[in-house]
Amino acid sequence: MSKHLETIRDDLTKFIETNIKGFEIKSKKDSWFMKLAGKLMFFNKRFMTAYVTTLYPKVYVPKLPWKYKNDLPAIATLAHEWVHLSDRKRMGLLFNFLYIAPQCFFPFALLGFVNPWFFLFFLVLLPLPSPGRAWAEIRGYRMTIAVYYWLSGQKVDLKWVVDQFVSSSYYFMWPFRGWLMRKFNKEFEKIKKGELSGELQVIHDIIKRNK
């Protein structure tokens, strides 16, 4: 089983390298930008030590070697991050904008020294819902759920998935727990039935050809 998963992991990595020009897995510890982001993301104390972050076309992990001999979660995470990379490749900078909105409007608050009404933009620093970030992560975590099911036959703890959306992990991006539980349960049922979206089908085919 371990060898089987290792083969899938290698195949998936090669696919991403081919699909995403410049793709590379790097350590957050070696990136000044990730260190700066870690300071800014005070609301997520585990950003540097437990979370994988994609900044097209790179994927930053807490440290290297990454998940050595722990292939199943590595495959699920790589597939999740490939969804983000693929969306970014397709949408360009619009993806980045949607992901960081509405907090990205904060700089307009500096215009408050010209017109006090612009000081209202300070409000976007509050943990306001982010439809764009939620949309991107719903697509990502749907992939996580699918990969775990295909490789283990088990259903991911959806409470854990929903917690990522309603907690400080992603700055309270979509605090509607009931809606999220219904959404992910519905997506899981579609996955079991083989009703797959385009990106799910791509990863499913990679897994299937290595069985």
Side-chain angles (χ1 to χ4, degrees):
M1 185 64 168
S2 177
K3 187 65 176 178
H4 163 65
L5 292 177
E6 183 180 337
T7 301
I8 293 175
R9 180 175 180 174
D10 288 343
D11 199 8
L12 175 58
T13 301
K14 291 175 183 176
F15 164 75
I16 300 175
E17 288 173 344
T18 302
N19 183 252
I20 305 295
K21 185 177 180 180
F23 168 74
E24 188 178 357
I25 297 175
K26 306 192 73 173
S27 171
K28 285 185 174 182
K29 292 182 177 180
D30 297 330
S31 168
W32 67 266
F33 184 82
M34 284 295 134
K35 290 177 181 178
L36 175 61
K39 297 293 184 182
L40 295 175
M41 295 187 184
F42 60 90
F43 49 87
N44 186 345
K45 303 298 185 184
R46 302 171 66 219
F47 174 79
M48 290 294 291
T49 60
Y51 281 80
V52 174
T53 304
T54 290
L55 186 61
Y56 187 88
K58 313 295 184 185
V59 171
Y60 291 87
V61 299
K63 64 179 181 178
L64 294 174
W66 176 61
K67 292 190 180 298
Y68 181 60
K69 294 186 178 180
N70 202 0
D71 291 315
L72 196 157
I75 293 167
T77 301
L78 276 175
H80 177 130
E81 301 306 326
W82 172 74
V83 173
H84 295 329
L85 290 168
S86 181
D87 286 340
R88 169 59 175 78
K89 178 182 178 181
R90 174 170 52 89
M91 298 171 64
L93 291 176
L94 176 61
F95 176 83
N96 299 70
F97 169 74
L98 293 174
Y99 197 92
I100 61 178
Q103 285 73 32
C104 63
F105 290 109
F106 158 69
F108 286 107
L110 300 178
L111 295 175
F113 296 103
V114 178
N115 185 327
W117 281 104
F118 281 98
F119 283 128
L120 290 175
F121 278 98
F122 276 115
L123 294 175
V124 301
L125 291 178
L126 296 173
L128 301 175
S130 173
R133 188 155 64 252
W135 167 81
E137 291 301 340
I138 285 171
R139 288 172 55 75
Y141 279 100
R142 177 176 62 181
M143 179 65 78
T144 301
I145 292 167
V147 170
Y148 268 100
Y149 175 69
W150 294 329
L151 294 179
S152 72
Q154 302 298 313
K155 182 179 182 180
V156 170
D157 180 6
L158 294 185
K159 180 182 179 301
W160 170 80
V161 173
V162 170
D163 282 345
Q164 307 308 307
F165 289 76
V166 304
S167 70
S168 62
S169 296
Y170 293 84
Y171 206 46
F172 309 95
M173 63 180 165
W174 202 245
F176 308 110
R177 184 178 292 275
W179 184 89
L180 287 163
M181 285 297 294
R182 291 190 296 272
K183 173 67 174 175
F184 282 118
N185 270 306
K186 182 179 179 180
E187 292 298 331
F188 180 67
E189 291 303 316
K190 291 166 74 173
I191 290 165
K192 287 201 300 181
K193 293 176 183 177
E195 299 174 5
L196 307 179
S197 62
E199 69 278 358
L200 290 178
Q201 189 65 59
V202 168
I203 302 304
H204 182 264
D205 289 347
I206 291 174
I207 291 173
K208 186 176 180 181
R209 71 173 176 241
N210 284 289
K211 282 191 174 181

